[in-house]
Amino acid sequence: MTRPLRIEYEGARYHVTSRGNERKAVFRDDTDREKFLELIGRAVEQFGIQVHAYVLMDNHYHLLIETPRGGLNRALRYLNGVYTQAFNRRHKRVGHLFQGRYQAILVEKDAYLLELSRYIHLNPWRVNRGRDPIKYRWSSLGAYVGTRAAPSWLTVRELMSQFGSKGKRGYRQFVAEGIKEGIRTPWDELGGQAVMGSEEFVQRVMKRQGGKARKKTAIVGRKELVGVKAEPQELHRRG
């Protein structure tokens, strides 16, 4: 079986997720989570990537990554590989920790980056509708709404600039609107590479790849981020 095509170039943006092998936990406690965040910081420094948003769940993680110098695969191979070694050593286990290779969705910046940051930040709420995502410690949402300091390696300026003078209050309201509308996962069953963007963006990507990506690439649209409406939670009431 051939490996899925990876579309990489300088300045690309991706929604990256990786799940535990057999859907088992990849973070057993806070020490594991702290180690993973430490390694994200090292990957930012070593490979020149930018991380716009993140969330760590029990058996998977989500990252919103930009690659000014390209090299997504190198950065993710380092992150998953070094973390697996540390996890196995600490928990006295052997073998694969993650389920195959990471999944990466190539994202059109202007149209989708903001919406995907909200999708990532609402993952704790999607898993447990009674949970306030702002209070969830292991995501970057607190840095966006001002309840926690941002890690030195987290890039928040670009997304926050879209709210102008509203700043953190504007982002909080944006996330609350996502709870009201309901957000689902459009790519749980996707394999290989996917592209999220306009038709023009997709065509540019295909041209960049010399047409090789077309048959192996799934196209995801904005409407696939929005699903069944849900009852607003505490976050929405704060809006």
Side-chain angles (χ1 to χ4, degrees):
M1 182 177 179
T2 59
R3 283 187 171 184
L5 182 67
R6 297 297 187 194
I7 302 173
E8 295 191 19
Y9 56 87
E10 294 180 358
R13 293 104 181 162
Y14 305 88
H15 173 198
V16 175
T17 185
S18 192
R19 296 187 178 276
N21 197 29
E22 298 178 337
R23 295 189 177 270
K24 293 180 180 178
V26 295
F27 307 111
R28 294 185 181 178
D29 55 28
D30 288 353
T31 299
D32 288 341
R33 296 178 181 92
E34 288 168 354
K35 181 62 176 181
F36 191 79
L37 294 182
E38 174 192 331
L39 291 174
I40 293 178
R42 292 186 189 178
V44 168
E45 181 177 359
Q46 184 171 340
F47 300 97
I49 62 173
Q50 295 178 356
V51 177
H52 295 278
Y54 70 87
V55 66
L56 310 185
M57 306 302 291
D58 289 342
N59 68 351
H60 68 285
Y61 67 79
H62 294 266
L63 302 173
L64 192 53
I65 292 179
E66 185 170 350
T67 57
R69 305 196 316 234
L72 178 73
N73 189 51
R74 294 195 303 273
L76 267 294
R77 189 168 62 239
Y78 167 84
L79 180 61
N80 282 3
V82 175
Y83 178 73
T84 295
Q85 293 172 8
F87 183 93
N88 285 354
R89 191 163 50 244
R90 179 168 183 256
H91 295 291
K92 296 179 172 55
R93 69 179 296 277
V94 295
H96 297 292
L97 178 62
F98 293 100
Q99 181 179 301
R101 300 179 77 200
Y102 62 89
Q103 184 177 343
I105 297 179
L106 181 65
V107 181
E108 184 175 15
K109 173 183 175 181
D110 295 334
Y112 297 98
L113 207 65
L114 188 61
E115 290 192 49
L116 282 171
S117 76
R118 178 169 65 177
Y119 167 82
I120 288 171
H121 288 147
L122 284 180
N123 259 260
W125 169 80
R126 288 179 55 250
V127 172
N128 179 356
R129 296 299 172 98
R131 177 186 284 162
D132 182 350
I134 285 182
K135 294 180 179 179
Y136 188 73
R137 179 181 173 188
W138 303 105
S139 92
S140 50
L141 179 56
Y144 276 89
V145 300
T147 59
R148 285 189 301 277
S152 60
W153 45 261
L154 182 68
T155 300
V156 300
R157 297 183 306 276
E158 185 170 341
L159 294 178
M160 290 301 294
S161 68
Q162 299 189 43
F163 294 95
S165 61
K166 292 184 177 180
K168 295 178 174 63
R169 178 171 55 88
Y171 193 87
R172 182 191 288 262
Q173 182 177 356
F174 174 67
V175 172
E177 290 169 355
I179 288 180
K180 183 178 180 180
E181 295 171 3
I183 295 180
R184 67 186 180 89
T185 309
W187 41 77
D188 273 348
E189 304 304 322
L190 290 177
Q193 178 77 61
V195 176
M196 174 172 278
S198 64
E199 179 63 27
E200 292 77 13
F201 176 71
V202 172
Q203 292 302 322
R204 290 199 302 272
V205 169
M206 299 307 176
K207 184 177 181 180
R208 183 186 293 270
Q209 297 296 313
K212 296 178 182 179
R214 184 175 299 275
K215 293 183 179 180
K216 298 182 179 180
T217 303
I219 310 302
V220 181
R222 180 191 284 110
K223 65 181 181 180
E224 294 172 282
L225 283 174
V226 180
V228 179
K229 289 189 176 182
E231 291 298 320
Q233 303 290 327
E234 180 182 356
L235 176 63
H236 181 61
R237 291 196 296 272
R238 287 192 217 162

